[in-house]
Amino acid sequence: MSAEKTLAIVLRTIEFSETSLVVTLFTEDFGKISALAKGARRAKGPFDGALDLLSICRVVFLPKSSGSLDLLTEAKLERRLRVATRNLTALNAAYYIAEMLREMTDEHDAHPELFSLAHDSLIYLDTLQPTENQEVARCVMRFELVALRLLGHLPALGHCAGCGREIRPARRVSFGFVTGGTLCQQCRQGKRQVASVSAAAIEAMTKLAAEGDLPENYVLSRAIAGELRGLINRYICNLLGHQPRTQKLLT
């Protein structure tokens, strides 16, 4: 096969030999790929430090047959995130985004919009200062909910996940983690793993998941942000069947 070129985010690196790495990349044009980078661990190797975790780089790779590692032949660094030097909260958020991309996507399944979302989210996190933890929380929840929408896993928020009936605004709404979103009173009966959620939290989730940019002055209160964090954590754990390792680092 001919070589392919694309922009990529480094999601994970694993030592393969004394000189090589197996890298997991999320690419703009080909989705997630796993590739062997021969010589990547050499001091003066062919990748020149471009394969650090969370780096954004332009890569060239040779696709292999199903079940085999692709072969990475070139990687040129576009941007190395500096967030680790000044903001631990934002760094943990970036690690979480990388884990979500690994966990929620399939090999060679292209999602250009998801790549753009992840790319922009990581660069935004890289600009934040230690005093801006609320912005970190908003960025992560925006990423999670838009990613869920793009991948077809967004929970029902304006209608019943059971019968499809429109749910009118109320102070509290039932949310089913197994059924996949808000539930009317009739469908809520007998269901397991259901939480009572404030209408304000459902409204915030709807805004965060919507297409287009958020208003610059959009602010999540601490109370709503805390409620959403618990709700989204539990929903994603149920969706994946386990808790992401980096999820517990989020604030």
Side-chain angles (χ1 to χ4, degrees), residues 144-157 180 205 209-210 235:
E144 290 170 307
L145 291 166
V146 175
L148 288 170
R149 173 171 59 79
L150 293 173
L151 294 171
H153 298 303
L154 185 68
L157 298 173
M205 289 179 72
Y235 181 78

Side-chain angles (χ1 to χ4, degrees), residues 166-213:
E166 182 181 359
I167 293 182
R168 297 178 181 178
R171 292 185 62 186
R172 308 293 298 182
V173 181
S174 294
F175 187 97
F177 296 98
V178 175
T179 49
T182 51
L183 293 167
C184 67
Q185 291 184 352
Q186 185 175 5
C187 291
R188 191 262 177 264
Q189 297 178 13
K191 296 293 191 300
R192 301 179 61 185
Q193 297 192 45
V194 177
S196 176
V197 181
S198 71
I202 296 298
E203 181 182 0
M205 289 179 72
T206 302
K207 288 182 178 179
L208 288 167
E211 295 183 21
D213 296 331

